[in-house]
Amino acid sequence: MATPVTPGPSALNPVGDLWSGGPQCPPDPPPETKQLPELIRLKRDGGRLSERDIRSFVRAVVDGSAQGAQIGAMLMAIRLQGMDLEETVALTQALANSGQRLEWPEAWHQQLVDKHSTGGVGDKVSLVLAPALAACGCKVPMISGRGLGHTGGTLDKLESIPGFTVIQSPEQMQGLLEKVGCCIVGQSKELVPADGILYEARDVTATVDSLPLITASILSKKVVESLSALVVDVKFGGAAVFPRQAEARELARALVSVGAGLGLRVAAALTAMDHPLGRSVGHTLEVEEALLCMDGAGPPDLRDVVIRLGGALLWLNGLAEAQAEGAARVAAALDDGSARDRFERMLATQGVDPGLARALCSGTPAQRRQLLPRAREQEELLAPTDGSPWLRVHLDAPALSDPQRRALQGALVLSDREPFTAPSPFSELILPPTDAQQ
């Protein structure tokens, strides 16, 4: 009996298909690409977008064929109808693929880490944590954003330092990581351009709080960084995007799950934002407070969040055997000045005059205030009992009105109880599945 032979490739049969003896059927035609109005209608009515649909929408966003009204309509449809896990993974991947992916030397693989925050009033953690992690031996290619809603953005704060340049090419980023160990940059045209467009549109279409849009926006910028580990600081409370902890936990779990689906090791921390983090709010004022934290001082709540997030990252990527050990290493970087030294080098390498960077990082708080831009006016509000100031308002706008003063004074609550230590904002840490930590 002859031995059956599987036909190999030939000019007529270039892929070597095996004929079963029955009639040959033509292959199914590729699915027709849907037009944008059809995609918007599908999601608006609660339908599910395929991976192809999502890629088509993102491509239209980038090439300019999607009108602003269509982008807003799709964002609102997603905000109202949501997305399942597979849709969110597909959206994240499509956003990441809309631009260049960062590539690093193989030797850096286990060192690459990053942190992201969903945003909160007074949140200047990134300014402190990135250089602290660099001082602990990490490479931190942090792609940050601007303010969303009522919260200030990391880039806006850094740009209050004269000369600081947030737009860096991938080649410049690699140079920063080689020389400094960290950089904090914005989205350039090369990196995740689709998310840059959607990010701005979300801010003006009341879709900032959409869980799948937040998840895809955060993780798309991290996927292109080729990270070893990522921690996301998910804020909850009266001053956060999500007022309730249950909503924040839902986002945290989505970030961890979508990250695992993308092959990215993600942990999510839940931190309270019922009041501002630290004691200062405002771009320049927060830079001053971040420097104070890198002096080994500063507000306890800010320091606590920095060392806990940093400890989790060092543990996740194997640079510490336990979270507590990692936290101790980050605390030491704040106390011995090594984090502040990395911050100075980052400033000088990202456009700040080296003399100004040195003076900022070595000066006293009073000296630093003279080196940074200041508001034209300051107004102090007095406590009603003993007359000592409890709040200083820095303003370029007209003086506070009487209703504004009354509203601010209404936030002050006096008590005859003994002073107490405020609880840590850090609530819980949601970890990736065991197989994602291997």
Side-chain angles (χ1 to χ4, degrees):
M1 178 182 291
T3 304
V5 177
T6 301
S10 67
L12 296 178
N13 186 21
V15 294
D17 291 329
L18 176 62
W19 178 57
S20 64
Q24 195 112 25
C25 298
D28 293 333
E32 185 177 349
T33 301
K34 301 182 182 73
Q35 298 299 308
L36 277 181
E38 186 179 355
L39 295 178
I40 295 167
R41 186 183 306 112
L42 176 62
K43 178 48 67 178
R44 181 201 67 187
D45 295 342
R48 185 181 182 281
L49 297 175
S50 68
E51 183 179 352
R52 181 187 180 94
D53 293 337
I54 291 169
R55 288 201 309 266
S56 177
F57 168 67
V58 170
R59 185 165 54 249
V61 169
V62 175
D63 67 22
S65 60
Q67 301 175 23
Q70 292 175 316
I71 294 173
M74 178 62 86
L75 293 177
M76 186 58 71
I78 293 171
R79 165 63 181 80
L80 296 176
Q81 298 292 351
M83 280 182 153
D84 62 24
L85 178 62
E86 288 74 20
E87 284 178 296
T88 309
V89 169
L91 177 60
T92 306
Q93 194 68 67
L95 294 178
N97 291 341
S98 68
Q100 183 175 344
R101 187 178 293 260
L102 297 172
E103 297 182 2
W104 314 112
E106 184 66 28
W108 292 3
H109 178 67
Q110 279 301 114
Q111 298 173 277
L112 289 157
V113 301
D114 199 0
K115 164 264 178 190
H116 186 86
S117 171
T118 57
V121 179
D123 182 3
K124 70 279 295 180
V125 169
S126 292
L127 277 64
V128 182
L129 184 56
L133 288 168
C136 292
C138 295
K139 303 291 186 185
V140 190
M142 188 175 287
I143 301 176
S144 292
R146 300 194 180 275
L148 270 182
H150 64 279
T151 62
T154 296
L155 300 182
D156 305 307
K157 296 165 192 179
L158 285 169
E159 284 183 331
S160 72
I161 304 173
F164 192 90
T165 303
V166 301
I167 298 301
Q168 303 285 331
S169 70
E171 294 75 21
Q172 289 171 317
M173 289 180 67
Q174 179 160 336
L176 279 157
L177 295 187
E178 289 173 347
K179 296 174 186 176
V180 183
C182 65
C183 60
I184 303 179
V185 305
Q187 291 171 248
S188 65
K189 292 181 180 179
E190 294 91 355
L191 300 175
V192 208
D195 179 64
I197 298 169
L198 297 186
Y199 197 87
E200 292 182 1
R202 285 167 54 210
D203 200 24
V204 296
T205 56
T207 56
V208 168
D209 61 348
S210 166
L211 189 148
L213 293 178
I214 293 174
T215 302
S217 177
I218 292 172
L219 294 183
S220 63
K221 293 190 283 286
K222 306 310 174 184
V223 167
V224 301
E225 293 176 3
S226 304
L227 300 174
S228 168
L230 168 71
V231 65
V232 184
D233 183 2
V234 182
K235 305 289 189 184
F236 66 91
V241 174
F242 295 102
R244 292 180 291 277
Q245 186 170 351
E247 295 173 315
R249 188 180 293 110
E250 185 181 3
L251 172 61
R253 288 173 174 163
L255 288 163
V256 172
S257 298
V258 173
L262 294 164
L264 180 60
R265 189 183 308 141
V266 182
L270 297 181
T271 62
M273 183 50 64
D274 288 310
H275 50 77
L277 187 64
R279 292 188 292 267
S280 297
V281 176
H283 300 332
T284 299
L285 300 176
E286 293 185 47
V287 170
E288 293 175 13
E289 192 163 75
L291 283 164
L292 198 61
C293 187
M294 286 182 274
D295 290 336
D301 59 345
L302 172 60
R303 177 183 170 95
D304 182 71
V305 172
V306 169
I307 65 175
R308 284 177 181 256
L309 294 178
L313 270 174
L314 292 179
W315 171 66
L316 272 177
N317 78 332
L319 294 181
E321 293 186 1
Q323 294 182 55
E325 177 190 328
R329 289 185 59 191
V330 174
L334 300 179
D335 294 336
D336 65 15
S338 57
R340 189 179 60 234
D341 176 66
R342 297 284 178 154
F343 187 72
E344 177 185 335
R345 290 157 62 185
M346 184 183 77
L347 295 184
T349 312
Q350 288 194 235
V352 178
D353 179 85
L356 173 58
R358 188 176 309 110
L360 273 176
C361 293
S362 62
T364 65
Q367 290 169 334
R368 289 166 178 164
R369 183 153 293 185
Q370 298 300 316
L371 295 169
L372 293 171
R374 292 179 292 169
R376 290 195 297 266
E377 303 292 339
Q378 296 181 23
E379 181 174 342
E380 292 183 341
L381 300 184
L382 305 180
T385 53
D386 60 8
S388 60
W390 75 276
L391 179 67
R392 182 180 299 112
V393 182
H394 300 249
L395 27 81
D396 286 327
L400 294 174
S401 66
D402 288 338
Q404 288 173 328
R405 289 190 189 90
R406 286 195 295 270
L408 288 170
Q409 292 286 37
L412 175 64
V413 177
L414 298 177
S415 171
D416 56 5
R417 293 184 299 169
E418 290 293 322
F420 62 92
T421 302
S424 168
F426 200 95
S427 177
E428 60 182 294
L429 184 68
I430 297 175
L431 298 172
T434 302
D435 60 351
Q437 298 182 44
Q438 300 304 314

